[in-house]
Amino acid sequence: MDEQLFFKKLNSLCTSKEIFDFLSSLEVMSDTMGSGALQRISEVEVDDNGLKNPEGVLENEVFRALCFQFEFESSKLSNTGLLNALQALIKLRIDPQSTLMASLLSEGKERLGKGQLTVKNLCALGESLLELEGPSCATLEQIVNHVQEKDVEKWSPREVVTVYKMLQVTAREGEQYQDLLNRMNSATLTIVSQLSPKLTSIILNSLVVLRQTQAVPLVTALCRHSVKHIPYFTGDELVNVLEAFLCFGHRDQIFTEALETHVPKSIFTMHPQTVSKIMQYCCQKMILSKPIFDAAAEGFISDADRFTTDQIAGYIIPFGTLNYLPPSASALFRKLETVLHARLSHFQPHTLLNLLHSCVLIQRYPVNFLPKIFSPYFLQQLQAQPPGLDRTVTSQLTQLFLTVTLECPFYEGPKLLPKYQVKAFLTPHSSLDVHLLKRVKTGLLCLLKKRIYFASEVSTPYFYTVDIEIKLDEEGFVLPAAQCEEIHRR
């Protein structure tokens, strides 16, 4: 049978039984046709849980005959037949230690050594070795050395992606393949519009792992291209894309708008890790997206019992950082309190402190959990794990303690010992704050005529710093800033 006709018929078949019946009707079949049949069987019989009908496939006489032929005639196979069969058998979960797999692998490596493989063949062998032997496979470096001699401009998108994946494990942070990477980055820029969601995600992940910080045009193009794929990314793929946005400092309003459309519709089917990463992205980029945050709150209320402790923190901390209470705030914090009561001891110390501190920022005071936070044992745990009791951590502890002192006078639990408290909260001014403060001071000087009538950067009893202080007497007249008597209002 003509090969073109064979593949047309093969691709129309939807079960392994139909495929085996079809193969039985043929008198002669090339190795390319045989490996194509194995690939089609793997497509229809393998899902996320593995082989759907192991006995119906592996015990079938036609399948066994095909395997027998590939094992004992491996040296006579075409490159395509050999490597396609290897990929299909890996997908069908054939034992990697079997003589069949050993024979095909050995033949593939022999042809690699003789320089007989095209880029397509090299990529097929590389994919197989990544699957079978993992990142530690020494042969991958040999494949990459052959690949870098080829013309990158002529590669298909799938070949480009496979080489990026191989470089991830062979190049790591070394610069030995930077010339190849530069050529690939330039070539990939011209095919961005052809990339599927999966390939877009893999390339962005590779650029992050390989630290291609200079490939800005490619990263920008991929990030923009990813906008139209948002509804079609799997959870892991979307996480890769968001990691790239965070790693390369990219931010795109259209991407945010696409997330705002997608997340509320999909929140109850999305993996918690994906939502957690979306919240982290919004938090780090300071994007207060009410549609995303409101949806995340609903998802948390519905499903928080099955979240990991890091995911719980990932959902909640951005609400505090961006100072936002969703419409469902009361139900959200009831759920959080229930989860904390059940699993408090499961949280890493610094994760728990960050979580409770973020609650305080939106006026949710974790009074019931502070005895644990201020206990000597918990403080020792904080000190024992990086970053220990550094300035940020002691500031968070102090803020928790002071907030409860001010807002919850009924709290009678353990106090935070003075040695763990900071004496003042350092609030670094952004350039905008400095200019704004300067303008306020200039205005006050105009109004009050003399500098002695106001003080700046004044410490309060609660360790916060006030930008400007003006003192008034009982009649509302301004007093000199240094005066300590007759002060009615500050």
Side-chain angles (χ1 to χ4, degrees), residues 249-264:
H250 191 76
R251 176 175 171 166
D252 190 301
Q253 181 60 30
I254 302 170
F255 183 85
T256 304
E257 287 168 7
L259 278 179
E260 287 179 338
T261 303
H262 175 62
V263 173

Side-chain angles (χ1 to χ4, degrees), residues 125-171:
L125 181 59
E127 279 185 336
S128 299
L129 290 168
L130 277 169
E131 194 73 38
L132 284 177
E133 299 181 25
S136 58
C137 173
T139 313
L140 288 171
E141 199 162 333
Q142 201 180 338
I143 294 173
V144 172
N145 289 333
H146 280 281
V147 162
Q148 68 179 341
E149 296 165 8
K150 310 288 184 182
D151 183 1
V152 175
E153 307 289 334
K154 295 177 181 172
W155 297 358
S156 71
R158 183 171 173 180
E159 286 157 10
V160 169
V161 166
T162 305
V163 177
Y164 271 119
K165 279 160 70 179
M166 288 191 286
L167 283 168
Q168 260 183 257
V169 297
T170 53

Side-chain angles (χ1 to χ4, degrees), residues 166-402:
M166 288 191 286
L167 283 168
Q168 260 183 257
V169 297
T170 53
R172 296 179 181 89
E173 289 174 45
E175 294 180 5
Q176 66 190 103
Y177 296 115
Q178 192 54 56
D179 176 58
L180 171 60
L181 276 164
N182 290 342
R183 287 188 289 134
M184 285 174 64
N185 293 342
S186 299
T188 306
L189 192 53
T190 64
I191 60 164
V192 167
S193 61
Q194 302 169 36
L195 298 174
S196 67
K198 183 178 181 181
L199 299 188
T200 303
S201 165
I202 292 171
I203 294 175
L204 278 171
N205 180 242
S206 296
L207 294 173
V208 170
V209 174
L210 293 162
R211 303 200 175 179
Q212 294 299 290
T213 48
Q214 77 292 351
V216 176
L218 176 57
V219 171
T220 305
L222 287 166
C223 288
R224 285 180 181 158
H225 179 64
S226 66
V227 171
K228 68 180 184 184
H229 290 321
I230 284 178
Y232 312 107
F233 284 125
T234 65
D236 289 343
E237 288 165 4
L238 184 53
V239 166
N240 282 345
V241 172
L242 291 165
E243 282 284 10
F245 270 71
L246 291 169
C247 176
F248 295 112
H250 191 76
R251 176 175 171 166
D252 190 301
Q253 181 60 30
I254 302 170
F255 183 85
T256 304
E257 287 168 7
L259 278 179
E260 287 179 338
T261 303
H262 175 62
V263 173
K265 287 192 294 192
S266 315
I267 191 70
F268 296 113
T269 55
M270 290 176 91
H271 193 280
Q273 191 58 36
T274 310
V275 182
S276 191
K277 181 58 70 175
I278 292 169
M279 294 296 279
Q280 182 195 347
Y281 168 74
C282 289
C283 192
Q284 285 192 22
K285 298 289 183 184
M286 302 298 274
I287 299 167
L288 177 49
S289 166
K290 292 182 181 180
I292 292 174
F293 277 53
D294 292 350
E298 295 297 336
F300 187 91
I301 292 162
S302 168
D303 271 345
D305 298 315
R306 66 186 183 95
F307 293 0
T308 66
T309 51
D310 283 343
Q311 286 164 0
I312 291 165
Y315 269 68
I316 300 297
I317 289 172
F319 286 97
T321 307
L322 297 183
N323 194 24
Y324 177 64
L325 282 172
S328 57
S330 54
L332 175 69
F333 286 96
R334 268 200 309 275
K335 184 69 175 184
L336 177 61
E337 188 163 7
T338 305
V339 171
L340 286 174
H341 274 302
R343 298 166 62 188
L344 196 67
S345 61
H346 299 174
F347 281 82
Q348 289 295 315
H350 286 282
T351 306
L352 183 59
L353 177 60
N354 284 333
L355 176 60
L356 297 183
H357 176 256
S358 69
C359 292
V360 161
L361 299 176
I362 37 181
Q363 291 83 54
R364 291 298 184 273
Y365 309 112
V367 178
N368 295 336
F369 305 104
L370 290 183
K372 170 165 175 115
I373 297 292
F374 297 148
S375 72
Y377 175 66
F378 184 79
L379 294 167
Q380 281 174 359
Q381 283 184 304
L382 278 176
Q383 194 158 12
Q385 292 181 7
L389 288 170
D390 67 3
R391 178 85 193 189
T392 305
V393 174
T394 49
S395 291
Q396 287 180 320
L397 286 166
T398 308
Q399 275 186 313
L400 268 174
F401 174 59
L402 290 175

